[in-house]
Amino acid sequence: MEHVPALDEDLKKTLGPATAKVLAEQLGLHTALDLLHHYPRRYAERGELTSLAELADQIDEHVTVVAQVADARILTFNGGRGKRLEVTITDGSGRLQLVFFGAGVHKPHKDLLPGTRAMFAGKVGMFNRKLQLSHPAYEPLGQDASDRDAATAFANQLIPIYPACAKLESWKIAKCVDAVLPSAQDAVDPLPAALREGRGLVPLTEALLKIHRPGTKADIEDARQRLKWDEAFVLQVALARRRHADSQLPAVARRPVPGGLLDSFDAKLPFTLTQGQRTVSKEIFDDLATEHPMHRLLQGEVGSGKTMVALRAMLAVVDSGGQAAMLAPTEVLAQQHHRSITEMMGELAEGGMLGGSDQGTKVVLLTGSMGMPARRRALLDLVTGEAGIVIGTHALIEDKVQFHDLGLVVVDEQHRFGVEQRDALRSKGKQPPHLLVMTATPIPRTVAMTVFGDLETSVLDQLPAGRSPIATHVVPSKDKPHFLARAWERVREEVDKGHQAYVVCPRIGDGEDDPKKKAAEDDGDKRPPLAVVEIAEQLTRGPLAGTSVEVLHGRMDPADKDDVMRRFAAGEVKVLVATTVIEVGVNVPNSTVMVIMDADRFGVSQLHQLRGRVGRGSAPGLCLLVSEMHEASPARARLAAVAATLDGFELSRIDLEQRREGDVLGQAQSGVRSSLRMLAVIEDEEVIAEAREEATRVVAEDPALEGLPGLRTALDALLDTEREQYLEKG
């Protein structure tokens, strides 16, 4: 009987050390089970030629194509000393050139005769403005006489094309899969039998066999449906268990006091809250009044007034005798929040101080760069309870920071914090504090259910009255340089009217971010990204001469950063040339225009965030997206999408459709491969929503999953140590 590899067996035993090493290093596959879950990207049909027409979008990527040889010829160069074989292949949709050099020309010349059909794999390159594969690996599709029987079997077969790498082509991966496929019979099924049968899903073993070696297209569909459910359900069970565990924790109910701090604050507001702010506030106050910790995600459009909602929640907690902490991702943002909250509260933020209100409390700032005396004072105010509200950066998480009675943690811009940091701050309460997570990047419902599935969600999608519309235009600086000249004229016009402007660049350019390194990172001969320091200098000497232009970036001394922001907020600085440090939370209502240089280097959501810094007052906002990219490029299509709509939810959907799924779930940042191989978060909304319902029901009936050992095993695999963090890195 042949050896059937165990699912957790190292691939070295089954495939030999050399192949196993490539699979582990290049594709992150270590065991038979990993390889069984390395699904084909697509399938080629023997009778159908796969599309060469699509290769133009895949330059520098490793591809596998199935095509037929149209012609092959050997050319000589260097006076006959050098030989080059050029093979043209076709698939009905397009033609592609293959080249082989030197001693390597003879075997392919013999193998690749006109009419031969084969699979070819290599890296798509460009030579003389034509696409080509240089020295591709190839596998003829059995047309020799000796191969006739195999060819007949092959004729009706769907050929799996696997995600491959330079050292291991798709068909070699297929052979590796063949070696471990018998072990699929031992795969433990994570889905409860009732769920599987109720939804008409095939058993896991059958799904694995059908996804790798389908007989028909219906087989592929059956397998995909089933494997999508596995991924969605196991992930949703992990999140449902976290929700369930949190709901069992005790917390202190925090209710505002009639006639207290919150009422005093509301009474002095110079405007009325939007209906959205009132609705969301009610959801939050209802949660705060319960005796288990609130876990709520507050997401809203740029400028929808999230900070106001969070501040009112913090005041309610202070009313009830507790303290509230707001965690911000950067010092600039922490200082900005501190400044705007103390301004909004006025004398209510001066509790215990001369001239402060009797009902007031202290609002303190705590960041890593503060001087020792200020830091000591802030720490003392926290431990004694003098300060009801603290706003800070990661410095809040340090061991020496202690609270008198921490009742609420507000995390701003959740995607910048991992689960460990969030939990470290929560552990500072005598009992678990309530938690409010805010994000200004609107998240489609499916992603919220997948990434933030342990949080209840509130959405603010209404802008406060008095907000002005923002017009957005793409400025094609290479095709139409006079458009860029006009952009600077527009900036000057706004400044002359008494307004202010932002100019955003992708790079600092202070010598520490070496352009040579940047250029190497970029593709080929593309110039390095534009830099803050250089652009500021060009503007001061050229189109904005005589205007006060200052720079702001992350490597400046914190005191200098704060000074620049303060002077910009006061209107002394007219044009701020900055990196994306201004992306979130910076609020200067007098700024009406923003120019984003090399806009194609930013993501869709990031551009939307940046744009939200203008049009915050009564004058209309203008955002100019400057790019040298060609009109037909995907990058320009992205910019056109941003210019066409101000709907952040629509843009985040476009953004996610254009990015790979792994990035959606934060894998790009955490360096962990996404556990979603089959599920497409945006497309599979229905599966995710249904899986969430099923998972919630299963966990409510059996929180420890004692009756579902297969599901427990799958969860342990998902939540191995490196993926623990994955659940909350949105």
Side-chain angles (χ1 to χ4, degrees):
M1 188 183 145
E2 64 171 317
H3 166 71
V4 175
L7 288 169
D8 56 359
E9 193 170 284
D10 193 304
L11 289 170
K12 282 192 197 99
K13 286 189 183 169
T14 322
L15 305 174
T19 305
K21 185 173 185 231
V22 176
L23 286 169
E25 287 176 2
Q26 302 284 317
L27 297 168
L29 307 173
H30 303 276
T31 64
L33 188 63
D34 289 344
L35 190 48
L36 285 175
H37 285 301
H38 186 69
Y39 307 132
R41 177 176 282 155
R42 59 188 177 82
Y43 302 84
E45 291 178 71
R46 187 97 166 87
E48 160 237 33
L49 291 167
T50 58
S51 172
L52 294 179
E54 291 165 17
L55 293 185
D57 297 336
Q58 301 184 45
I59 290 176
D60 283 348
E61 287 194 27
H62 288 277
V63 298
T64 302
V65 294
V66 177
Q68 189 162 340
V69 176
D71 65 63
R73 56 202 179 122
I74 287 186
L75 305 172
T76 57
F77 54 95
N78 271 358
R81 289 196 300 278
K83 283 186 177 170
R84 178 168 88 239
L85 169 65
E86 288 186 1
V87 179
T88 305
I89 58 172
T90 177
D91 69 351
S93 77
R95 294 165 86 79
L96 179 67
Q97 194 171 58
L98 317 176
V99 288
F100 301 85
F101 293 98
V105 302
H106 302 296
K107 187 174 182 331
H109 194 218
K110 208 165 69 208
D111 293 343
L112 300 176
L113 300 169
T116 305
R117 294 184 42 117
M119 287 199 281
F120 302 92
K123 192 176 183 181
V124 182
M126 188 72 109
F127 182 70
N128 277 345
R129 308 185 79 123
K130 273 191 183 161
L131 294 174
Q132 69 169 29
L133 299 183
S134 181
H135 277 281
Y138 60 89
E139 177 96 332
L141 293 180
Q143 286 187 340
D144 325 7
S146 62
D147 239 355
R148 221 154 258 148
D149 296 344
T152 317
F154 211 94
N156 306 316
Q157 205 180 343
L158 290 156
I159 308 161
I161 307 286
Y162 287 92
C165 59
K167 294 182 180 170
L168 211 58
E169 295 87 10
S170 170
W171 54 86
K172 290 185 181 164
I173 294 174
K175 285 175 182 164
C176 297
V177 171
D178 282 337
V180 300
L181 209 48
S183 61
Q185 66 199 32
D186 301 325
V188 180
D189 202 322
L191 292 191
L195 188 159
R196 196 179 70 232
E197 286 153 20
R199 296 193 172 269
L201 299 168
V202 300
L204 180 59
T205 297
E206 190 182 324
L208 290 171
L209 293 172
K210 281 182 168 177
I211 200 76
H212 289 292
R213 300 296 172 262
T216 63
K217 287 183 177 175
D219 285 352
I220 300 171
E221 199 37 51
D222 285 352
R224 280 195 167 139
Q225 245 345 81
R226 163 62 218 242
L227 295 166
K228 280 179 179 184
W229 254 94
D230 275 19
E231 290 175 5
F233 182 69
V234 173
L235 180 60
Q236 291 300 339
V237 167
L239 292 163
R241 288 184 79 190
R242 188 169 171 111
R243 277 199 307 277
H244 183 271
D246 284 338
S247 72
Q248 303 304 301
L249 294 170
V252 179
R254 309 282 180 177
R255 296 182 184 87
V257 180
L261 184 56
L262 178 61
D263 283 354
S264 303
F265 176 74
D266 283 350
K268 64 192 278 301
L269 276 182
F271 51 82
T272 51
L273 298 174
T274 64
Q275 184 53 53
Q277 286 174 317
R278 284 200 292 273
T279 307
V280 169
S281 290
K282 183 181 182 318
E283 290 170 352
I284 292 171
F285 290 149
D286 289 349
D287 282 359
L288 289 173
T290 60
E291 291 185 353
H292 56 81
M294 163 172 83
H295 281 99
R296 193 165 277 283
L297 171 69
L298 171 57
Q299 56 163 324
E301 278 292 9
V302 181
S304 57
K306 290 179 300 297
T307 310
M308 173 59 71
V309 170
L311 174 56
R312 293 182 73 244
M314 294 197 284
L315 296 175
V317 169
V318 175
D319 262 351
S320 71
Q323 290 169 294
M326 183 185 257
L327 184 61
T330 64
E331 293 212 349
V332 166
L333 192 49
Q335 286 160 344
Q336 176 78 30
H337 276 318
H338 180 254
R339 199 159 38 239
S340 64
I341 283 173
T342 48
E343 278 168 17
M344 282 195 271
M345 286 176 64
E347 75 278 5
L348 295 174
E350 296 166 358
M353 296 190 231
L354 210 59
S357 160
D358 297 344
Q359 285 167 320
T361 186
K362 253 191 195 172
V363 179
V364 299
L365 177 68
L366 188 66
T367 63
S369 66
M370 279 167 74
M372 220 42 227
R375 194 182 173 79
R376 271 203 207 95
R377 237 186 350 266
L379 291 173
L380 186 64
D381 285 342
L382 287 180
V383 77
T384 59
E386 279 281 298
I389 295 176
V390 59
I391 293 145
T393 54
H394 295 76
L396 283 175
I397 298 167
E398 290 169 13
D399 291 344
K400 26 176 149 16
V401 179
Q402 289 181 328
F403 290 85
H404 177 65
D405 178 15
L406 180 60
L408 171 67
V409 173
V410 178
V411 180
D412 191 20
E413 286 308 309
Q414 159 70 11
H415 65 278
R416 315 276 183 102
F417 295 100
V419 64
E420 321 79 46
Q421 294 157 318
R422 203 168 97 173
D423 286 349
L425 187 51
R426 280 169 58 191
S427 68
K428 292 185 178 289
K430 297 191 178 77
Q431 281 193 322
H434 298 280
L435 175 73
L436 181 65
V437 168
M438 298 202 296
T439 174
T441 308
I443 306 162
R445 175 171 165 262
T446 37
V447 181
M449 282 192 293
T450 310
V451 183
F452 298 103
D454 66 328
L455 303 171
E456 297 301 325
T457 305
S458 293
V459 176
L460 270 179
D461 50 12
Q462 188 186 3
L463 293 185
R467 272 304 169 93
S468 301
I470 304 169
T472 307
H473 302 286
V474 179
V475 178
S477 54
K478 201 169 193 171
D479 311 344
K480 300 182 177 167
H482 59 287
F483 276 33
L484 182 59
R486 176 70 189 117
W488 299 127
E489 280 173 22
R490 282 291 292 117
V491 171
R492 199 176 255 293
E493 284 163 17
E494 287 300 308
V495 169
D496 289 347
K497 283 185 205 162
H499 296 307
Q500 290 160 278
Y502 296 99
V503 177
V504 181
C505 302
R507 194 164 63 86
I508 297 172
D510 58 357
E512 284 189 49
D513 51 359
D514 180 10
K516 284 194 188 111
K517 191 175 111 205
K518 282 281 173 197
E521 285 170 16
D522 287 313
D523 27 3
D525 54 0
K526 204 170 166 189
R527 64 155 173 75
L530 293 170
V532 166
V533 177
E534 294 151 19
I535 292 291
E537 197 175 317
Q538 286 170 24
L539 292 176
T540 317
R541 287 187 181 162
L544 301 182
T547 307
S548 66
V549 177
E550 295 261 4
V551 300
L552 180 73
H553 58 73
R555 276 208 289 270
M556 285 165 63
D557 180 86
D560 294 343
K561 269 194 289 201
D562 199 34
D563 175 56
V564 170
M565 265 322 296
R566 200 180 292 280
R567 287 188 295 116
F568 186 63
E572 295 164 27
V573 173
K574 296 301 178 193
V575 179
L576 190 63
V577 184
T579 55
T580 53
V581 290
I582 60 149
E583 183 185 343
V584 284
V586 173
N587 184 24
V588 179
N590 189 40
S591 306
T592 54
V593 60
M594 174 177 286
V595 182
I596 303 178
M597 307 301 292
D598 280 346
D600 48 273
R601 294 180 185 256
F602 299 98
V604 169
S605 294
Q606 202 174 21
L607 291 170
H608 181 59
Q609 275 283 13
L610 287 165
R611 163 172 71 182
R613 301 300 111 213
V614 295
R616 298 176 81 87
S618 53
L622 174 66
C623 177
L624 301 173
L625 307 173
V626 179
S627 170
E628 290 188 354
M629 297 306 274
H630 188 271
E631 194 168 0
S633 64
R636 278 285 291 278
R638 265 205 332 267
L639 298 183
V642 175
T645 178
L646 288 171
D647 180 342
F649 287 91
E650 175 57 27
L651 285 174
S652 64
R653 214 181 166 88
I654 293 169
D655 196 14
L656 297 182
E657 281 166 355
Q658 289 179 342
R659 293 194 296 168
R660 291 190 312 283
E661 209 63 56
D663 302 341
V664 174
L665 298 175
Q667 299 313 308
Q669 289 90 323
S670 65
V672 180
R673 290 178 72 241
S674 165
S675 67
L676 301 190
R677 293 175 173 81
M678 190 59 76
L679 195 71
V681 171
I682 289 287
E683 290 158 33
D684 295 318
E685 182 153 5
E686 218 169 286
V687 176
I688 292 168
E690 289 172 11
R692 181 179 166 112
E693 271 172 42
E694 293 276 11
T696 306
R697 189 180 51 71
V698 165
V699 170
E701 288 168 11
D702 181 4
L705 307 178
E706 281 165 8
L708 299 165
L711 180 53
R712 274 213 317 277
T713 306
L715 265 182
D716 293 342
L718 174 74
L719 299 182
D720 58 20
T721 43
E722 56 180 359
R723 288 219 182 95
E724 270 291 10
Q725 313 147 11
Y726 147 87
L727 282 184
E728 309 230 354
K729 284 199 171 153

